[in-house]
Amino acid sequence: MTKAKIAKAIPRRPFVAGNWKMHRTASDTRSLIEDIVGRVQKVATVDMVVCPPFTSLPAAAETLGRHSILALGAQNMHQSKEGAFTGEISGPMLREFGVRYVILGHSERRQFFNETDASVSVKAEAAVGYHLRPIVCVGETLTQREAGETNSVVESQVRGSLAHYPADQLDELVIAYEPVWAIGTGKVATPKQANEVHRLIRKLMASLFGAKGSGVRVIYGGSVKPENAAELMAEPDIDGALVGGASLDARSFFDIIQAARPVRASEND
Ligand code: 13P
């Protein structure tokens, strides 16, 4: 069997993560986590992650306790283990609270905190070194889409953000395609529009990393709601969702998780 055929046979498990952004204090976190855990008990076919603010991670970890059904993620990380970096949080600090994932290069970090492909690349490499799984975000702005630059922008973000990514750690990686114009706006990309970009990312990953690159999960983010989740995730190259606003409501988040398709094989060629 050729390498490509082996990769084709490997199923991509659906992945749904909630990015809480700067919402929920530690005490509010407890009740939201309890509510989510109460609903997702029987979900066995989807990887589920919640990414609360740093200050809520201890409360989230404590509330989850032995409920490893829901994994914890952070929204950012500094690449150094420790040091004179006022206001930053390191990978080992996150690991101490059982954090398994870290969102890197979210468009809000790129837009408001000068995050670049180069900084994301350094962080992604460092994250896997700390046994954290990076969720690397890419996506074009409305101006870029209207100028017909979507593919070139996304391609250069993927190349740049993974420039130092170790090829033997691809199983740990998740890529989130989040068109900036769809984030928090209620304007969702059509399933076809989203899938085109996901397919582009998958092909690029294959050309950068070989057969294993095409097996990396690519999830969609930007106004995902219970009403549109099933349609988006039914697309062959959309492996799940990175959910903002709707993840702050346990019922909505659960409905989105339920919309994730069961395990399927790669359909990339
Ligand atoms: P919304 O779902 O609120 O549009 O946010 C998407 C997002 O940025 C997730 O990271």
Side-chain angles (χ1 to χ4, degrees), residues 25-27 29-30 33 54-64 72 97:
T25 61
S27 44
T29 293
R30 286 193 176 84
I33 296 273
F54 289 135
T55 49
S56 289
L57 287 169
E62 207 178 278
T63 311
L64 281 171
L72 266 186
F97 291 104

Side-chain angles (χ1 to χ4, degrees), residues 76-77 79 104-105 110 115-129 134 136-138 156-166 173 209:
N76 183 31
M77 180 204 86
Q79 62 271 21
L104 295 174
R110 292 176 186 261
E115 197 88 69
T116 61
D117 293 336
S119 62
V120 175
S121 168
V122 169
K123 289 181 180 196
E125 185 189 15
V128 284
V136 170
C137 303
V138 296
S156 109
Q157 287 177 332
V158 171
R159 281 183 188 278
S161 302
L162 299 177
H164 297 107
Y165 197 81
L173 178 66
F209 294 100

Side-chain angles (χ1 to χ4, degrees), residues 19 21 106 108 178 182-185 221-225 242-246:
N19 175 8
K21 307 193 179 183
H106 189 280
E108 287 148 16
E178 299 203 306
I183 295 177
T185 58
S223 296
V224 176
K225 307 274 179 258
L242 183 53
V243 188

